[in-house]
Amino acid sequence: MTQITLPSLIDCHVHFREPGLTHKADMASESVAAVAGGVVTVCEMPNTIPPVVTVEALADKVRRADRIQTCDIRFFMGATEKKHLLALRDVWRGASPTLKDIKRRCCGLKVFFDHSTGNQGADFETIAEAFRMCGELGIPLVAHCEDAEMNANAQASVLRSGRSRSSATEDIALHSQMRPPESEVAAIKRAIGLAREYSTQFHVAHLSTAGGLQLVREAKKEGLSVTCEVAPHHLFLTVDDYQTLGALGKMNPPLRSKEDQAALWEGIADGTVDCIATDHAPHTLEEKQCEDPLRAPSGVPGVETMLPLLLTVAAGGWPNPRGEKVANCKLQIANIIRLCFENPNRIFGLGKQKDELQIQIDVDKEWTIEAENLHSKCKWTPYEGWRVRGSVVD
Ligand code: DOR
Ligand code: ZN
């Protein structure tokens, strides 16, 4: 057995669903899953119930997270209206010890250019004000970049043409056409424009397209403070996987083409991609297996499977038994440390030390991903049956 030591990882994009959606997941269950996957610090998203758009909602999450000893949970605030930005400002400028503690646990602002789970889509004026205020106060701003109008138009046109083919509206692969790549590219373009205008530290969440990646590459060359993350599901799955996965392969942004997938790996190789983050978004199997797959909630779990998938590539393998290995996919252990520890730590000012907490990895261990052995409350995985190489030693 070859054992190596890594800093315990940071996943800067998870949904732990507490409070309000704890039938899907909760902080305790998902922390166990994270730790089993070598992740001990996570940045959690504001689309819980109530949404984290007030100081009270953030304080409540911080109190809940205080009960979790094994995983350091940090939180993004959200904003769907301008007044929510004032709550963020209060947290950021807060002078009292309570507010200071809350601020320490707040990693920035998350905004949605279009609705996704939780309907936190905001209008452009609110988003522009968010970029302005975050630029002024030095707050990291993360955006879900999909253009709402382009998505709405694409959806309408898919549904129109679907009427002539009776089963078309139940075809899950249409999800990718209803949220087309151009919509992501357009939203990233607008967001980069705002980051330029207001000198905002801007991070693109779950970037999924070749075109979006190229915009980030150019923004970096220009010297803007723009970073991005990609999710394992966009690195390891494509639209071809809908056939096997059905609605278990439904997420936002959706699965993309092989060309987009190859571009993301290229972005990892040339350093344009800053982080790999899971967008761990558990829903129950029952919710996912609803009658019309296009109505199933979007999101897949991933926090426990990210590291083994990446280690498999680092060992020269490819874990998707259905998809061909992406020709240019390359990864070394040092890249995993950069993408899943150093960069998220720096971008979100998490203050972690590399040697503070470490994990042991058996890089030779081959095993099969099976949902029944995973720890997320949702008890399913889009990677069921995949052979991987590399495992966290308990
Ligand atoms: O697939 C997704 N699931 N995308 C999102 O933007 C939200 C997430 C969720 O919370 O389920
Ligand atoms: Zn998300």
Side-chain angles (χ1 to χ4, degrees):
M1 156 163 121
T2 317
Q3 210 162 306
I4 61 166
T5 304
L6 295 184
S8 54
L9 303 184
I10 297 168
D11 184 349
C12 62
H13 189 148
V14 302
H15 301 262
F16 278 5
R17 309 296 194 203
E18 181 177 345
L21 296 160
T22 53
H23 64 289
K24 297 177 195 273
D26 59 50
M27 289 186 194
S29 62
E30 306 316 286
S31 294
V32 174
V35 171
V39 173
V40 306
T41 306
V42 296
C43 303
E44 210 265 345
M45 291 298 166
N47 59 339
T48 34
I49 303 175
V52 185
V53 294
T54 62
V55 176
E56 293 70 37
L58 176 63
D60 175 53
K61 274 201 176 178
V62 166
R63 267 194 305 275
R64 291 165 182 271
D66 278 339
R67 298 199 296 259
I68 311 286
Q69 303 297 320
T70 50
C71 187
D72 184 358
I73 311 178
R74 309 292 180 95
F75 300 101
F76 285 102
M77 287 191 85
T80 49
E81 294 172 45
K82 282 190 189 166
K83 69 171 187 226
H84 299 149
L85 296 170
L86 303 180
L88 175 67
R89 193 185 60 189
D90 288 346
V91 169
W92 223 258
R93 287 195 174 151
S96 71
T98 326
L99 279 175
K100 278 192 174 138
D101 184 50
I102 292 174
K103 180 187 173 189
R104 201 183 62 73
R105 314 283 279 279
C106 178
C107 35
L109 176 71
K110 167 80 179 283
V111 293
F112 291 74
F113 275 76
D114 190 11
H115 286 322
S116 189
T117 309
N119 290 345
Q120 291 202 336
D123 58 46
F124 189 70
E125 220 184 88
T126 304
I127 290 179
E129 176 59 15
F131 272 81
R132 194 199 62 72
M133 201 194 79
C134 287
E136 186 183 305
L137 297 180
I139 303 173
L141 185 155
V142 177
H144 178 126
C145 294
E146 289 188 274
D147 186 87
E149 203 179 309
M150 288 173 79
N151 278 358
N153 289 341
Q155 181 172 6
S157 112
V158 168
L159 291 177
R160 253 197 321 273
S161 61
R163 267 190 218 118
S164 51
R165 292 177 295 132
S166 61
S167 66
T169 53
E170 279 158 32
D171 178 0
I172 183 63
L174 294 177
H175 182 62
S176 289
Q177 296 175 29
M178 290 171 168
R179 303 182 79 117
E182 304 79 59
S183 148
E184 175 174 286
V185 177
I188 292 179
K189 195 166 197 171
R190 279 187 116 177
I192 289 175
L194 291 170
R196 180 187 295 115
E197 184 174 350
Y198 297 115
S199 305
T200 321
Q201 186 197 323
F202 166 52
H203 181 81
V204 183
H206 40 49
L207 185 140
S208 64
T209 57
L213 187 78
Q214 183 55 24
L215 291 174
V216 170
R217 193 176 276 129
E218 286 160 14
K220 287 182 173 197
K221 270 201 197 118
E222 191 187 327
L224 300 180
S225 180
V226 172
T227 54
C228 70
E229 72 194 27
V230 298
H233 44 263
H234 292 126
L235 291 171
F236 292 105
L237 300 168
T238 67
V239 286
D240 294 345
D241 290 283
Y242 277 128
Q243 212 177 351
T244 343
L245 291 175
L248 299 188
K250 181 172 188 251
M251 76 286 292
N252 300 328
L255 293 178
R256 304 289 191 193
S257 67
K258 279 202 168 74
E259 290 71 32
D260 285 313
Q261 179 190 35
L264 300 185
W265 282 103
E266 188 59 43
I268 286 180
D270 74 9
T272 306
V273 172
D274 298 279
C275 310
I276 298 179
T278 64
D279 195 10
H280 177 76
H283 297 283
T284 68
L285 250 189
E286 205 184 346
E287 290 166 330
K288 281 297 219 180
Q289 291 171 338
C290 69
E291 210 168 301
D292 177 357
L294 284 172
R295 288 187 187 277
S298 295
V300 296
V303 74
E304 191 169 353
T305 43
M306 170 173 70
L307 180 58
L309 292 173
L310 298 178
L311 288 170
T312 306
V313 175
W318 179 250
N320 187 338
R322 298 178 296 272
E324 247 171 78
K325 182 172 177 174
V326 175
N328 62 351
C329 89
K330 264 195 280 343
L331 205 59
Q332 285 167 350
I333 298 292
N335 303 132
I336 299 179
I337 298 173
R338 177 174 62 83
L339 292 156
C340 306
F341 179 82
E342 288 166 357
N343 286 347
N345 192 36
R346 188 192 68 250
I347 292 166
F348 298 107
L350 301 175
K352 295 283 163 178
Q353 301 300 317
K354 238 181 181 169
D355 51 4
E356 187 179 311
L357 261 179
Q358 296 181 320
I359 45 171
Q360 302 298 317
I361 307 294
D362 176 351
V363 288
D364 293 330
K365 182 161 175 190
E366 289 195 38
W367 57 286
T368 302
I369 297 177
E370 287 167 309
E372 61 175 336
N373 299 323
L374 299 177
H375 298 82
S376 171
K377 200 184 246 188
C378 73
K379 285 286 167 199
W380 62 272
T381 168
Y383 314 113
E384 184 71 33
W386 289 22
R387 288 291 288 173
V388 287
R389 182 163 178 177
S391 144
V392 177
V393 179
D394 334 287

